[in-house]
Amino acid sequence: MLKLKDLLESHHDRNEGKMAKYDVKEIAQDAMDVFKMIDEKDDLPEWLEAKITKAADYLNSASRYISGNIAREENLLEDLD
């Protein structure tokens, strides 16, 4: 049976998932810290708004990529049945 990890693996080492999970955990902690520091009525500098927007876009792109691979894997598995 084809698995997501088989689809994602090529010439990469096998520790990338572990490293990515650590990075995402750090992102989540930093995001919560920033969330707590910002008040809805704060007037943030534009450079800061841009950094937050870019970070959100990057993480959304990663999420869509992984979700798409999972959906493709599920479809491939259904086709094999």
Side-chain angles (χ1 to χ4, degrees):
M1 275 190 152
L2 193 57
K3 300 198 184 240
L4 177 60
K5 74 176 189 173
D6 297 329
L7 288 172
L8 297 176
E9 284 181 358
S10 59
H11 63 284
H12 301 289
D13 67 46
R14 296 178 188 261
N15 290 325
E16 290 174 337
K18 183 178 180 179
M19 292 185 313
K21 284 187 71 113
Y22 176 80
D23 288 342
V24 171
K25 182 179 177 185
E26 291 291 311
I27 290 167
Q29 291 170 345
D30 289 342
M32 187 52 67
D33 291 343
V34 171
F35 177 83
K36 291 175 182 176
M37 288 185 239
I38 296 173
D39 185 83
E40 291 181 11
K41 296 177 183 173
D42 285 345
D43 184 22
L44 303 175
E46 294 202 12
W47 67 266
L48 179 57
E49 291 177 23
K51 296 280 187 188
I52 292 170
T53 299
K54 187 179 265 189
D57 181 54
Y58 284 165
L59 200 52
N60 285 331
S61 294
S63 176
R64 285 191 305 271
Y65 174 81
I66 294 168
S67 295
N69 279 324
I70 290 170
R72 279 190 289 285
E73 177 187 89
E74 289 172 355
N75 287 336
L76 287 172
L77 292 175
E78 288 175 6
D79 291 344
L80 294 175
D81 290 337

